[in-house]
Amino acid sequence: MAITRISTFAFSGIDPISVEIQVQISRGLPAFTIVGLADKAVTESRERVKAALISMGIALPPKRILINLSPADIIKEGTHYDLPIALGLLVALDIIPEEMLLNYAAVGELSLDGKVSAVNNVISATIGAVSQEKGLICPAIQGSEALLGGDIDILAAPDLLSIIQHFLGKQILTPPKMLQAPNTSHDYDLFDIKGMESAKRALEIAASGGHSMLMIGPPGSGKSMLATRLPSILPDLTAQQSLEVTRIYSAAGLLNGSVPIRQPPFRNPHHSASQVSLTGGGIKVKPGEISLAHHGILFLDEFPEFTKNSLEALRQPLENGKISIARAMNHITFPAKFQLIAAMNPCRCGYMGDTERECHRVPRCGEEYTRKISGPLLDRIDIVTYIEPIPPRDIVSIPNGEKSVKVAKRVKKAREKQFERQNNLNCELNNNQISLSASVTEIVEKASMQLRLSARGITRLLRVALTIADLSEKDEIDISSITEALSYRKRNLL
Ligand SMILES: Nc1ncnc2c1ncn2[C@@H]1O[C@H](COP(=O)(O)OP(=O)(O)OP(=O)(O)O)[C@@H](O)[C@H]1O
Ligand SMILES: [Mg+2]
């Protein structure tokens, strides 16, 4: 009995795994069965496929139809199996010649009238098709998205009928065109910020080396204002970074208009966000905020207000740049190399340290508030900066600050220097990759005793010091760079 085979993919995180759809039509009691660890969306695909075929006037024969999704030990989730299942049936029914589909993989959801609608992970499907040296059949509206994964034969089909006509040579589908990302634009500019020179300096260092940063300051001192201006001083993503980020957004179903993402993402989840929405996961596994911030910024405003579990879940990705989500039968990994920018008040009332305004519960008020930020999490924060609000009477008289484009140029130069030297940012360096002079070593040793720095703390200190040296175009860490870096490692209010 002949078996028809069509290629498609399952996705583990954003990685494609080859799946073969096997279709067998045999004599027996009429039935239509899908086997091979299919979830509910996949088993429901039976009804959509039947309806789509009927809409074209094709009725399934009263026979035993068996669909196997192989390998059968991988969980199959999602609606993108509709199209390959329908194509398998069309071949089994001798409507499309089998050899026509040998060189294609397919993904797409079917609606009841036979239209092919959008699915997640199309770019990753192209990457899978490239490795199999095949073309890809995908929804028409995702043709340009599919092209981002590789320059292969893409058939972007609006409906099932158009695929049949294409393979029968009646009406050839036009190849999709690559769409270009819009020009970079930013809503906010550093120009708006008056004064706050030391906070802006810390922001520039964080941007240059990709360092995590925590801003502590009273209400209205400009913490959120600073953080939202960070994107305006960051360079665009490299082609490789852009592909990774765009694939994650495609996996989350958040890719707007099929254009590649060129700017570092800025994610700003509210502190009421659940741990799953931050890390990813859920019944249908989706990337969380930390993955959506891959190669960009995760801004956590009101840092201690996040749940303790959410904050602790950041520890693993902050260290290794990815998140592993445990499921019943396997682990799913998403990339999560983000720059953490956090902001908080020093205490619940917000004014600890301001003798005129602080509440009577100081310092207990502050201790209770900051308790949620554990030692290990704090250890992973490279730069802690205390924001001094500018006096209200100065807000009008002080002139505006430097424009973001000017700062962005310095950041770009410092980043280029890092890529030339070590092919990544300073935030990814190991201890042994940073050389130190004898005098700097002495300062580091002394400071590590005084501040009781951990081994990780020292590595992170040296990374920041190197970024400071890079910004001032020095070839190695000197005394002023290490002294400035040390000032960002003091945690006196925490
Ligand atoms: N240095 C400054 N230059 C210009 N405007 C400022 C400055 N600092 C604060 N502001 C003004 O104050 C507003 C409040 O600042 P922002 O929201 O950033 O404070 P915050 O530190 O995040 O406060 P909170 O702790 O309450 O969240 C800004 O939107 C801006 O209008
Ligand atoms: Mg704020």
Side-chain angles (χ1 to χ4, degrees):
M1 214 163 302
I3 294 175
T4 307
R5 297 163 201 275
I6 306 284
S7 287
T8 185
F9 304 97
F11 299 96
S12 171
I14 56 170
D15 299 324
I17 300 171
S18 297
V19 167
E20 189 178 78
I21 307 265
Q22 301 168 348
V23 181
Q24 186 190 54
I25 301 184
S26 59
R27 276 195 221 143
L29 283 176
F32 187 166
T33 321
I34 297 180
V35 295
L37 276 193
D39 83 340
K40 193 145 191 315
V42 183
T43 47
E44 281 176 358
S45 125
R46 207 171 41 183
E47 304 305 324
R48 289 190 295 273
V49 169
K50 259 197 250 175
L53 292 178
I54 287 170
S55 76
M56 294 188 299
I58 302 168
L60 289 175
K63 290 186 175 176
R64 190 172 166 273
I65 299 171
L66 179 61
I67 313 272
N68 179 33
L69 313 182
S70 164
D73 59 347
I74 295 174
I75 297 176
K76 320 291 184 318
E77 289 174 312
T79 53
H80 63 275
Y81 296 101
D82 291 4
L83 182 60
I85 290 173
L87 291 175
L89 283 167
L90 288 171
V91 171
L93 296 172
D94 287 330
I95 294 172
I96 300 179
E98 183 165 19
E99 62 277 11
M100 292 283 185
L101 281 170
L102 288 180
N103 291 325
Y104 287 97
V107 289
E109 181 184 319
L110 288 178
S111 59
L112 302 187
D113 57 0
K115 294 225 163 51
V116 184
S117 38
V119 289
N120 297 346
N121 276 314
V122 168
I123 307 174
S124 299
T126 307
I127 290 171
V130 170
S131 66
Q132 292 183 359
E133 296 180 13
K134 288 187 173 170
L136 182 74
I137 307 175
C138 72
I141 50 164
Q142 290 178 299
S144 52
E145 184 178 329
L147 274 178
L148 297 174
D151 190 12
I152 53 168
D153 182 9
I154 306 275
L155 291 185
D159 48 38
L160 259 187
L161 190 60
S162 65
I163 301 176
I164 298 174
Q165 289 187 323
H166 177 87
F167 284 122
L168 298 184
K170 290 186 179 160
Q171 194 168 12
I172 301 299
L173 285 164
T174 46
K177 284 199 182 72
M178 182 93 93
L179 298 177
Q180 291 305 321
N183 285 340
T184 307
S185 69
H186 297 287
D187 298 336
Y188 305 106
D189 200 289
L190 279 179
F191 180 71
D192 308 329
I193 303 183
K194 301 182 171 193
M196 299 179 70
E197 296 310 328
S198 58
K200 282 195 261 187
R201 165 80 180 160
L203 193 74
E204 185 174 332
I205 295 167
S208 301
H211 305 291
S212 49
M213 179 164 100
L214 169 63
M215 294 179 276
I216 307 175
S221 56
K223 302 179 295 294
S224 308
M225 198 182 180
L226 265 171
T228 47
R229 278 148 183 87
L230 179 54
S232 69
I233 57 171
L234 291 177
D236 281 355
L237 299 173
T238 62
Q240 179 57 33
Q241 289 173 336
S242 162
L243 179 63
E244 284 174 30
V245 175
T246 312
R247 281 174 74 186
I248 295 171
Y249 277 71
S250 165
L254 292 175
L255 200 58
N256 273 340
S258 293
V259 290
I261 296 170
R262 290 252 187 267
Q263 283 172 249
F266 181 85
R267 303 296 299 186
N268 181 10
H270 188 255
H271 57 71
S272 61
S274 66
Q275 186 191 333
V276 167
S277 75
L278 276 181
T279 57
I283 299 169
K284 301 218 175 312
V285 178
K286 282 204 167 173
E289 290 293 335
I290 60 170
S291 297
L292 295 171
H294 186 55
H295 292 309
I297 301 147
L298 180 72
F299 176 42
L300 301 185
D301 211 351
E302 323 295 348
F303 199 39
E305 302 284 356
F306 283 82
T307 64
K308 199 164 174 42
N309 286 346
S310 300
L311 292 182
E312 290 307 295
L314 299 177
R315 280 165 54 178
Q316 180 215 0
L318 271 173
E319 211 62 3
N320 60 13
K322 54 188 180 206
I323 177 88
S324 259
I325 299 159
R327 307 207 72 203
M329 289 171 71
N330 58 354
H331 273 81
I332 291 180
T333 304
F334 281 108
K337 207 182 264 185
F338 58 91
Q339 182 179 1
L340 173 68
I341 303 292
M344 62 183 278
N345 298 132
C347 59
R348 189 163 291 284
C349 78
Y351 295 102
M352 192 167 83
D354 177 343
T355 42
E356 281 173 25
R357 299 172 86 175
E358 64 188 12
C359 72
H360 66 280
R361 292 185 63 246
V362 161
R364 255 202 14 242
C365 169
E367 283 161 12
E368 281 167 15
Y369 194 58
T370 52
R371 199 176 293 152
K372 268 205 219 152
I373 308 169
S374 68
L377 180 58
L378 209 53
D379 206 30
R380 286 163 169 80
I381 293 180
D382 302 340
I383 297 177
V384 174
T385 177
Y386 297 91
I387 310 276
E388 284 291 333
I390 55 169
R393 61 174 187 283
D394 291 350
I395 204 100
V396 189
S397 56
I398 294 184
N400 281 69
E402 220 175 353
K403 284 212 168 116
S404 287
V405 276
K406 228 171 146 191
V407 185
K409 272 191 194 142
R410 294 198 294 268
V411 170
K412 188 163 179 257
K413 204 165 169 195
R415 283 187 169 222
E416 280 167 0
K417 192 168 177 195
Q418 295 164 50
F419 272 93
E420 251 168 49
R421 185 177 54 217
Q422 75 238 9
N423 210 19
N424 57 11
L425 288 178
N426 287 346
C427 64
E428 294 188 56
L429 282 182
N430 295 326
N431 235 342
N432 51 15
Q433 289 174 284
I434 306 175
S435 59
L436 296 180
S437 66
S439 52
V440 173
T441 310
E442 200 182 315
I443 297 178
V444 173
E445 280 171 1
K446 242 189 224 159
S448 63
M449 305 288 276
Q450 266 170 11
L451 300 175
R452 303 181 70 190
L453 295 181
S454 65
R456 183 196 292 120
I458 294 176
T459 308
R460 288 181 177 262
L461 168 76
L462 297 181
R463 290 173 183 169
V464 175
L466 189 59
T467 303
I468 295 169
D470 287 339
L471 268 170
S472 43
E473 298 182 38
K474 289 174 190 153
D475 285 332
E476 61 172 9
I477 300 173
D478 63 352
I479 293 182
S480 74
S481 323
I482 195 78
T483 318
E484 185 176 353
L486 272 169
S487 72
Y488 299 125
R489 218 90 222 135
K490 295 199 176 114
R491 274 100 219 257
N492 33 1
L493 281 186
L494 291 166

